[in-house]
Amino acid sequence: GENVEQHPSTLSVQEGDSAVIKCTYSDSASNYFPWYKQELGKRPQLIIDIRSNVGEKKDQRIAVTLNKTAKHFSLHITETQPEDSAVYFCAAPESFNKFYFGSGTKLNVKP
Amino acid sequence: NAGVMQNPRHLVRRRGQEARLRCSPMKGHSHVYWYRQLPEEGLKFMVYLQKENIIDESGMPKERFSAEFPKEGPSILRIQQVVRGDSAAYFCASSPASGGNQPQHFGDGTRLSIL
């Protein structure tokens, strides 16, 4: 089955700095990789996703890169703001019907 | 377009009671997924359903837990004879089609507390 590992588990940055979170996966058939942001006590919210036919996707201050050969994908947040503070989860699919989630990265953006 | 609706938001049960959690998918979505999240942990897949069918229940404990998605009405996750270890947040997600290349949208979750 799919195995998703996420690093780091916690990340503290100064406002305005960049943050990078990395995930690795094991199933070479996986072809879709979403990232979710979860604020305390709230639902996971899809913030960006990438399909395997592209290597990078950007949406304003958020970008995701994918290296299929190495089986890893990363979330990049530039010009971080205090409201970016949350837990971020990556996910990868198995058997096209369920996602395996990483263990989460708690991002703290210090004003 | 209403999002994924879950109720109740909070549920308190005593050990041995039954818990019923409901999930209505987004309009136009026919695929429902249930996940469990313990405090400070990630989301763990439990079960994947389509209307009137359980497609994959490999993440759901074989005893005390069951799920359904009837032709009419919401999907229901049922936990019988609850124990303290069942305390968690249970999230439902829906997608418009099956496949690992479709985004899943989550509801607000049900926080289950067992006394």
Side-chain angles (χ1 to χ4, degrees), chain A residues 22-68:
Chain A
K22 182 176 175 179
C23 283
T24 60
Y25 62 98
S26 59
D27 188 349
S28 56
S30 295
N31 60 3
Y32 172 73
F33 306 92
W35 283 91
Y36 288 85
K37 174 184 180 183
Q38 187 176 30
E39 297 176 31
L40 190 63
K42 298 198 174 177
R43 72 173 77 182
Q45 281 194 301
L46 179 68
I47 56 171
I48 196 167
D49 54 15
I50 190 167
R51 300 180 191 278
S52 58
N53 57 343
V54 298
E56 183 174 0
K57 182 177 177 181
K58 194 171 181 181
D59 183 3
Q60 299 183 343
R61 296 186 297 107
I62 295 173
V64 55
T65 57
L66 171 64
N67 184 327
K68 283 218 75 176

Side-chain angles (χ1 to χ4, degrees), chain B residues 20-37:
Chain B
R20 282 188 180 229
L21 289 60
R22 296 175 193 80
C23 169
S24 295
M26 284 179 70
K27 188 176 180 181
H29 288 193
S30 57
H31 300 256
V32 167
Y33 309 81
W34 286 93
Y35 293 86
R36 181 161 80 171
Q37 186 177 38

